[in-house]
């Protein structure tokens, strides 16, 4: 299963756009890229998923370049409540399993 | 709203006890998973099931077993609890032949073994 690499932590301020990049050099042809958000003492929550190019929903956008070796989660105009750990996962194409990396701890300041 | 429900939020058990963690989903999902989460180690897959009575080992199955007698219920069993099994346990489910549709997680069970 493809391993992912993402920054350990990021700081931002309310109202700013936050971009979290994830590297996944060994992504397989049929793998998807999925991002989750986790608050303390809660289970991770699905944010967005994509295969290529750009995906947008009411929460975030996901940018995937043509080679698919990386992806960027974009959170527009963050608020304090977006402070959480964000996980990038790659897989799901030929396996039931998704492997969670260490995640990126995002801190949004007033 | 779809849900994955874990039977207990907090649990304290003694070393050597047999412990059952229950998970129920109401989404008719085929796949169900048990993870544990520890500081600095992230989420690690213990077991998963892709159908009733089917199970596969994850990355850290030692000391655990699972049961899936009904589609909606996936139980994690600690045969003889030990202190190194103190952790947050998370259950998840997903639809389809692969988890590409995304997981839905429960709120977790924080287990302390004393």
């Amino acid at each position: 299963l493809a391993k992912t690499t993402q920054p350990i932590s990021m700081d931002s301020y309310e109202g700013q756009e936050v971009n979290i990049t994830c590297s996944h050099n060994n992504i397989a042809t049929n793998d998807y890229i999925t991002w989750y958000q986790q608050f303390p003492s809660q289970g991770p929550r699905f944010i967005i998923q994509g295969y290529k190019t750009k995906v947008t929903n009411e929460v975030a956008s996901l940018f995937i370049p043509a080679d698919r070796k990386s992806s960027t989660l974009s959170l527009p105009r963050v608020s304090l409540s977006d402070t959480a750990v964000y996980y990038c996962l790659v897989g799901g194409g030929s396996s039931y399993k998704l492997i969670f990396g260490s995640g990126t701890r995002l801190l949004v300041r007033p | 709203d779809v849900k994955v429900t874990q039977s207990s939020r907090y649990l304290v058990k003694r070393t050597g006890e047999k412990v059952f963690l229950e998970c129920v989903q109401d989404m008719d999902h085929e796949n169900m998973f048990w993870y544990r989460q520890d500081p600095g180690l992230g989420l690690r897959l213990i077991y998963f099931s892709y159908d009733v009575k089917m199970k596969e080992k994850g990355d850290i199955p030692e000391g655990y077993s699972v049961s899936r007698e009904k589609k909606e219920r996936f139980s994690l069993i600690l045969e003889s609890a030990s202190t190194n099994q103190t952790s947050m346990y998370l259950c998840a489910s997903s639809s389809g032949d692969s988890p590409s549709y995304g997981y839905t997680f429960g709120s977790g069970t924080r287990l302390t073994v004393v």
Side-chain angles (χ1 to χ4, degrees):
Chain A
L1 293 171
K3 182 180 176 180
T4 60
T5 303
Q6 51 185 125
I8 294 173
S9 64
M10 294 181 68
D11 280 15
S12 183
Y13 291 92
E14 279 190 295
Q16 288 188 335
E17 178 185 70
V18 171
N19 296 308
I20 306 174
T21 297
C22 179
S23 171
H24 29 80
N25 292 317
N26 297 322
I27 189 169
T29 303
N30 55 355
D31 281 341
Y32 288 79
I33 299 156
T34 313
W35 286 79
Y36 288 81
Q37 174 192 57
Q38 187 179 24
F39 298 113
S41 298
Q42 293 187 27
R45 181 177 75 103
F46 174 90
I47 301 175
I48 197 166
Q49 184 179 78
Y51 184 80
K52 61 180 179 181
T53 64
K54 177 184 174 182
V55 179
T56 296
N57 62 21
E58 64 277 7
V59 176
S61 294
L62 179 59
F63 299 91
I64 306 168
D67 66 6
R68 303 200 330 121
K69 293 184 183 298
S70 66
S71 59
T72 299
L73 174 73
S74 181
L75 304 172
R77 301 183 59 80
V78 293
S79 64
L80 297 177
S81 63
D82 292 316
T83 292
V85 178
Y86 292 83
Y87 294 96
C88 162
L89 290 85
V90 172
S94 58
S95 169
Y96 303 107
K97 299 195 302 184
L98 290 178
I99 305 298
F100 283 77
S102 301
T104 297
R105 190 174 298 275
L106 173 66
L107 173 62
V108 180
R109 302 177 187 273
Chain B
D1 196 16
V2 295
K3 275 189 177 173
V4 175
T5 303
Q6 295 184 230
S7 53
S8 305
R9 281 291 268 153
Y10 299 94
L11 214 50
V12 180
K13 295 292 182 180
R14 295 192 181 277
T15 301
E17 275 192 78
K18 190 169 187 177
V19 181
F20 293 86
L21 302 183
E22 305 288 345
C23 176
V24 177
Q25 51 97 1
D26 64 1
M27 297 164 283
D28 201 35
H29 281 173
E30 291 81 3
N31 309 313
M32 296 188 74
F33 307 82
W34 275 106
Y35 286 85
R36 65 177 282 178
Q37 185 170 30
D38 302 286
L41 296 176
L43 282 88
R44 293 179 291 168
L45 181 63
I46 305 171
Y47 266 98
F48 65 103
S49 168
Y50 52 90
D51 202 351
V52 176
K53 296 190 186 295
M54 305 301 288
K55 61 185 179 185
E56 285 198 27
K57 294 180 180 179
D59 300 316
I60 51 164
E62 296 78 21
Y64 303 94
S65 62
V66 290
S67 172
R68 193 161 180 206
E69 297 297 318
K70 294 184 177 181
K71 190 175 185 179
E72 67 271 18
R73 186 180 297 271
F74 192 36
S75 303
L76 179 69
I77 304 157
L78 286 66
E79 298 292 341
S80 177
S82 64
T83 54
N84 63 13
Q85 292 178 309
T86 291
S87 185
M88 169 71 95
Y89 289 87
L90 290 159
C91 175
S93 70
S94 73
S95 173
D97 293 332
S98 77
S100 61
Y101 303 95
Y103 286 13
T104 300
F105 279 87
S107 298
T109 296
R110 188 165 294 281
L111 172 67
T112 301
V113 182
V114 296

